[in-house]
Amino acid sequence: MRNYSARYRQYAHGFGCLCHSPEITQLNERISQGLSRRSVLSGLAAIMAGAVVADPVSALAQQVPAAVVAQPVLLKNLRIFDGKSSKLIEGQNVLISGDRIADILKASEKVTDAKEVDCGGRVLMPGLIDAHWHSILAAIPQMVAMTSDIAYVHLVAVQEAQRTLMRGFTTVRDMGGPSFALKRAVDEKRIPGPRIYPSGAMVSQTSGHGDFRQRSDIPRHSANDLSLAESAGIATIADGEAEVLRRVREQLMLGASQIKIMVGGGVASAYDPLDSLQFTEAEIRAAVMAAKDWGTYVGAHVYTSAGIQRALACGVQSIEHGQLADEETVKQMADAGAWWSIQPFLADEDANVYASQVQSDQQKMIAEGTIRAFELGPKYNVKMAWGTDILFNPKGTASQGRQLTKLARWFDNADVLKMATGTNAELLAMSGNRNPYAGAIGVIEKGAMADMLLIDGNPLEDISLIADPDKNMKLIIKDGVIHKNTLAA
């Protein structure tokens, strides 16, 4: 096998967005040279069950089997944050039947055939939603990704899916990577994990933020000469309207609920500068048209004002990152009714460390832009969503809830919680006909999916409770299944 370690070193991306990193390229080479996608999946089918049984996370769900409980469950003696209101609702109980919230009842109403769970006056809230997550590669360490069998990489993703759920995240929007098989396994209840809204491979132009090739790989010799990243399903390269249409349609065929395209550069990328504009207007419009024809939308990776304005002009409905947007661009986002899916990329303990001064300077620009974004977004009533964009960082995944609490610097606690529940759910619902889940999420209301957390304390008063799920989340329920119950502890 060729040694790529020196050649790919420069690809570490700023903050959580590490998509141009040596690990992806190394990993993709192992995928293409060592194991076919079909053999990986068949191997995983035999070993995932054992991994789930052995994982200590699953032991927390001993009270209820990993299947929808046949008997209705009545959650009583609680206060409700419903994902929409800024105040707690009192004097009501929640009835769960199957995977849905069957009803919201007055506390005085009797239910004869339900198993009652006394919540001890605690706060019940919807499960959390991370609107920018990478299910397969969030938790795999750099060196492990470079040296392990691909089956192990997928098993780490299985384990992390469980941990994501046990942090209270019952839904994630996956913004790049081959998460279709993991999603299917979770949906079939073969393993515990959050519901996944998959984007599939990130669509990039040649030399764009999703082009992981090296100088020696240029030029491409034929239409069938796919790069390693393309073969693995992490990214796909398209030039011209026809190729963009093909690649977007391929992701839709695989089951993408929304499409991710690259419209600008990255913080530490070697071949696509941060200020570069990527895809012509005609190409972007082709992606938007293909997605719209299937009833869904396009989200664009982009930081700069020029890139954001081009994306908006072509019908992109979700700006991913966008920390370098100026005030005029923020106004345009508001006027277009587009979503601003933003991450708390700050100069704090969770930021990546770079040796290059250029990278450090760009990182500082993004951190300053993050502060400006959280100020300008509410000023112009932009529809703002929140996500973490954690990648290649097993220690960082544990900060998922803490990343949410950082927003309390700009928003009151109720608005922070609404953003990570009911508001994020509105963004995910933009997938329209491609929405893989039938019921409402992010809210506690009759008919919604039974995804709920019981918090020991009041997060509207103390948002930091979300940052310590092991201690403060007494119940974790998804699809009507109680995956964690420590009320008796």
Side-chain angles (χ1 to χ4, degrees), residues 437-475:
Y437 305 103
I441 60 172
V443 292
I444 294 180
E445 62 183 32
K446 183 177 180 179
M449 303 303 297
D451 300 351
M452 292 172 285
L453 313 173
L454 187 68
I455 309 298
D456 194 8
N458 184 356
L460 273 66
E461 296 176 352
D462 182 6
I463 193 68
S464 69
L465 294 170
I466 300 299
D468 192 353
D470 291 345
K471 177 182 178 182
N472 300 318
M473 294 182 184
K474 295 299 183 179
L475 286 177

Side-chain angles (χ1 to χ4, degrees), residues 5-219:
S5 59
R7 294 171 55 195
Y8 286 72
R9 187 176 298 125
Q10 70 269 40
Y11 273 110
H13 196 296
F15 299 94
C17 185
L18 297 173
C19 45
H20 260 290
S21 66
E23 291 71 43
I24 284 183
T25 307
Q26 292 274 4
L27 182 59
N28 288 335
E29 182 174 358
R30 297 182 66 81
I31 292 172
S32 62
Q33 292 188 1
L35 290 165
S36 70
R37 187 178 301 175
R38 179 173 297 178
S39 66
V40 170
L41 294 179
S42 63
L44 284 175
I47 56 184
M48 277 199 299
V52 171
V53 171
D55 193 281
V57 174
S58 300
L60 293 172
Q62 292 178 3
Q63 291 82 355
V64 179
V68 175
V69 179
Q71 183 183 12
V73 173
L74 182 69
L75 303 178
K76 66 177 188 176
N77 188 16
L78 47 77
R79 295 172 292 166
I80 301 172
F81 168 70
D82 64 1
K84 300 180 293 185
S85 174
S86 296
K87 295 182 179 180
L88 297 180
I89 300 169
E90 303 197 32
Q92 295 186 338
N93 295 337
V94 176
L95 181 65
I96 301 171
S97 181
D99 62 358
R100 303 296 180 100
I101 297 175
D103 210 347
I104 308 295
L105 306 169
K106 292 182 179 180
S108 58
E109 292 187 54
K110 300 296 183 181
V111 179
T112 59
D113 60 343
K115 176 181 179 180
E116 295 186 354
V117 176
D118 189 331
C119 296
R122 297 177 177 88
V123 173
L124 187 74
M125 63 173 286
L128 297 167
I129 300 171
D130 191 326
H132 195 123
W133 186 250
H134 294 279
S135 304
I136 301 299
L137 298 174
I140 191 77
Q142 295 180 355
M143 187 56 65
V144 174
M146 294 168 62
T147 58
S148 300
D149 294 334
I150 187 58
Y152 179 77
V153 174
H154 280 272
L155 284 172
V156 170
V158 168
Q159 186 182 53
E160 190 58 37
Q162 298 180 61
R163 290 175 175 161
T164 303
L165 179 60
M166 301 312 290
R167 290 191 291 269
F169 288 86
T170 54
T171 302
V172 297
R173 186 177 64 141
D174 191 294
M175 294 308 288
S179 61
F180 297 115
L182 179 63
K183 175 190 179 300
R184 177 178 177 178
V186 170
D187 290 348
E188 292 178 353
K189 295 183 170 55
R190 298 178 183 277
I191 58 172
R195 62 183 79 250
I196 297 173
Y197 282 71
S199 299
M202 302 171 283
V203 184
S204 169
Q205 68 172 45
T206 293
S207 76
H209 197 57
D211 186 346
F212 300 100
R213 296 173 298 168
Q214 292 299 293
R215 297 175 65 90
S216 59
D217 296 323
I218 306 299

